[in-house]
């Protein structure tokens, strides 16, 4: 949980953003749409940029240079590792939860 | 909720335009440093996305969050807890002020007449008093984590900013004591007492704004040097 500590309400959006960026770099609007597809619920621009600022401050993503106002972001090595760790943790949870509830 | 890409027509287009313009205006509520770094991207996004009340609300929450977490604010300071505390403090204080206005509305001389007629005014009067007390206690409880983090920081300048709302609260308590004294010692001073009451409420509103400014300066002062956003 290290990379995701103290993210509060930005924890889930942050994971969705990291997973979204695992594919290829994306700018704000594309990210917002992809995160909605991944999470099944819309994400607002305030939440999106709140999460992006935190992820950038922690070195999990970085902004790429851009000629226009839409700046793309890409995953850093630390971000990819954090996403993998978090997804593995969720996989373990899903496996155990499925056993317990009999799915 | 995302933009489907299809053209909007008639009322939908007008509504979308209103919320989109509002959303773009709301970006102004973010701190200057934040806008320097992210505003262009946010404008580009908002110009492409559909304008909705939900997105405006999300931006409002984001702006409040960014004001409490200005760029440069690092980790390890339990900011999420402080944000929650600040939110509850604001809510409790707003409740306290609302109770004060409701109380002033019931200060009319015909309160006893209402009570005698069994209209429930006396019960409402006591409920407002109880509500004000609950809001005051809630505000103090919500303020505690913020005060504690200031004390832990050991920064004298930060603590000086924290002393501002405390000094204002003491002055407010003195004003209330003066009001009670006037009411008890001079039965003919109802007009003067009411004037003082209104003045106290205006003072409370101004004090709230000044306290919010002081709280923001306090939070900025206590930010740690490590782990900062430098953009």
């Amino acid at each position: 949980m290290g990379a995701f500590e103290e993210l509060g309400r930005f924890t889930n959006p942050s994971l969705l953003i990291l997973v979204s960026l695992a594919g290829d770099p994306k700018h704000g609007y594309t990210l917002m749409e992809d995160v909605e597809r991944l999470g099944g619920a819309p994400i607002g621009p305030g939440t999106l940029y709140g999460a992006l600022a935190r992820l950038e401050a922690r070195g999990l993503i970085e902004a790429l240079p851009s000629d226009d106002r839409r700046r793309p972001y890409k995953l850093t090595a630390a971000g990819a590792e954090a996403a993998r760790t978090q997804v593995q943790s969720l996989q373990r949870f899903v496996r155990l939860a499925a056993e317990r509830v009999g799915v | 909720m995302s933009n489907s890409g299809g053209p909007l027509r008639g009322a939908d287009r007008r509504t979308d335009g209103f919320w989109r313009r509002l959303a773009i205006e709301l970006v102004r509520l973010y701190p200057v440093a934040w806008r320097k770094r992210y505003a262009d991207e946010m404008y580009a996004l908002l110009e492409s996305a559909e304008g909705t009340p939900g997105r405006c609300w999300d931006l409002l929450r984001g702006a409040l969050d960014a004001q409490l977490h200005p760029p440069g604010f690092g980790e390890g300071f339990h900011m999420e807890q402080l944000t929650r505390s600040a939110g509850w403090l604001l809510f409790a204080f707003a409740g306290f002020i609302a109770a004060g206005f409701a109380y002033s509305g019931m200060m009319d001389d015909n309160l006893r007449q209402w009570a005698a007629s069994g209209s429930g005014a006396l019960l409402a009067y006591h409920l407002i008093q109880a509500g004000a007390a609950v809001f005051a206690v809630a505000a103090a409880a919500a303020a505690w984590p913020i005060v504690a983090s200031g004390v832990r920081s050991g920064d004298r300048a930060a603590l000086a900013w924290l002393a501002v709302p405390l000094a204002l609260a003491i002055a407010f308590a003195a004003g209330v004591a003066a009001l009670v004294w006037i009411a008890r010692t001079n039965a003919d001073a109802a007009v003067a007492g009411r004037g003082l009451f209104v003045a106290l409420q205006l003072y409370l509103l101004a004090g709230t704004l000044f306290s919010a400014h002081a709280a923001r300066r306090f939070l900025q002062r206590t930010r740690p040097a490590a782990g900062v956003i430098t953009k």
Side-chain angles (χ1 to χ4, degrees):
Chain A
M1 283 295 288
F4 287 84
E5 274 175 11
E6 295 185 25
L7 282 175
R9 75 180 181 96
F10 296 99
T11 304
N12 288 341
S14 295
L15 178 60
L16 290 168
I17 288 169
L18 291 186
V19 172
S20 174
L21 292 177
D24 51 353
K26 293 181 183 68
H27 59 70
Y29 184 70
T30 328
L31 253 177
M32 199 163 75
E33 287 201 315
D34 196 42
V35 163
E36 183 175 342
R37 253 194 309 274
L38 280 169
I43 178 174
T47 304
L48 177 71
Y49 275 93
L52 283 175
R54 283 162 173 76
L55 292 172
E56 196 177 11
R58 292 168 188 220
L60 302 179
I61 62 170
E62 66 176 294
L64 297 172
S66 170
D67 291 334
D68 65 6
R69 296 186 301 169
R70 299 186 306 174
R71 194 190 305 230
Y73 290 89
K74 74 165 202 171
L75 212 53
T76 63
E81 181 57 33
R84 266 196 298 275
T85 305
Q86 192 68 0
V87 169
Q88 281 168 352
S89 167
L90 288 172
Q91 273 179 329
R92 274 196 302 277
F93 167 75
V94 169
R95 201 170 52 242
L96 284 171
E99 283 171 14
R100 291 193 186 188
V101 300
V103 174
Chain B
M1 293 294 283
S2 67
N3 191 358
S4 61
L8 295 168
R9 283 185 232 162
D12 282 349
R13 188 161 53 191
R14 282 195 295 277
T15 311
D16 173 65
F18 168 77
W19 291 111
R20 187 179 300 179
R21 279 196 302 277
L22 180 62
I24 287 170
E25 289 301 317
L26 285 174
V27 175
R28 291 175 191 270
L29 298 179
Y30 280 77
V32 174
W34 177 284
R35 292 205 305 270
K36 278 183 182 166
R37 171 64 186 84
Y38 294 108
D40 278 351
E41 295 175 50
M42 292 177 87
Y43 286 137
L45 183 150
L46 294 170
E47 284 161 11
S48 307
E50 184 184 347
T52 66
R55 284 195 172 139
C56 290
W57 171 242
D58 186 71
L59 274 169
L60 204 57
R61 287 183 73 195
L64 176 65
D65 176 75
Q67 290 287 351
L68 292 168
H69 303 69
F73 223 106
E75 302 164 20
F77 191 58
H78 306 295
M79 280 309 298
E80 293 301 331
Q81 184 192 14
L82 290 185
T83 304
R84 266 198 304 276
S85 294
W88 280 111
L89 182 58
L90 199 66
F91 173 75
F93 214 69
F96 186 69
I97 291 175
F101 276 109
Y103 180 78
S104 74
M106 297 196 74
M107 282 182 73
D108 294 327
D109 294 337
N110 55 7
L111 175 63
R112 285 197 194 110
Q113 292 169 17
W114 289 346
S117 68
S119 65
L122 202 59
L123 175 65
Y125 177 78
H126 289 309
L127 279 177
I128 287 170
Q129 281 185 321
V134 169
F135 280 125
V137 170
W144 171 246
I146 301 174
V147 174
S149 71
V151 172
R152 275 199 303 270
S153 76
D155 184 332
R156 286 187 182 180
L159 288 171
W161 279 113
L162 203 58
V164 169
L166 186 66
L168 290 170
I170 289 171
F172 177 74
V176 171
L179 185 68
V180 171
W181 182 77
I182 288 173
R184 285 191 177 166
T185 58
N186 190 349
D188 298 328
V191 175
R194 189 165 301 170
L196 181 58
F197 193 90
V198 171
L200 273 176
Q201 286 181 316
L202 292 175
Y203 167 84
L204 201 56
L205 285 172
T208 303
L209 292 174
F210 192 50
S211 295
H213 172 69
R216 186 164 179 270
R217 294 300 303 268
F218 159 75
L219 289 171
Q220 286 174 337
R221 282 286 315 176
T222 50
R223 67 185 174 208
V228 298
I229 300 170
T230 53
K231 297 276 187 338

